[in-house]
Amino acid sequence: MAKLKLGPIANDKPVKVALSLPGALHRDLVAYAEVLARETGEPAPDPVKLVVPMLERFIATDREFAKARREAGGAARISAPLPAPGSSSV
């Protein structure tokens, strides 16, 4: 079984996001949602719901961004710490 960077997606209050994605990226998000569903045994989440946790994970693990943030005195801090990969609260 694959070890994905994201765990189950929290069933949170819907938020409308308006952006255009390249078709290939959308297909990848749909495929990721399907793999995530197989991994978690839950229904596949709406691919749009993957965008925020993916961006949060990306920012949280970008060492150069963390370094720049520290050097800037902690500005642009993420609002809440990320749960561990595979946690059910992502």
Side-chain angles (χ1 to χ4, degrees):
M1 197 181 290
K3 182 66 178 163
L4 300 177
K5 290 190 178 221
L6 295 181
I9 304 301
N11 187 10
D12 202 358
K13 193 186 316 181
V15 176
K16 186 168 183 142
V17 177
L19 69 133
S20 297
L21 298 175
L25 178 56
H26 183 261
R27 287 187 296 276
D28 286 343
L29 286 171
V30 170
Y32 197 103
E34 292 167 355
V35 172
L36 185 62
R38 286 195 302 270
E39 286 251 323
T40 63
E42 297 177 7
D46 179 350
V48 170
K49 287 193 169 253
L50 297 175
V51 174
V52 170
M54 286 179 162
L55 288 173
E56 287 175 334
R57 174 101 28 222
F58 175 82
I59 290 172
T61 59
D62 187 314
R63 291 181 182 169
E64 288 300 314
F65 175 69
K67 179 181 173 186
R69 184 170 57 189
R70 280 191 307 274
E71 291 171 357
R77 200 172 279 283
I78 294 176
S79 59
L82 290 175
S87 168
S88 62
S89 60
V90 172

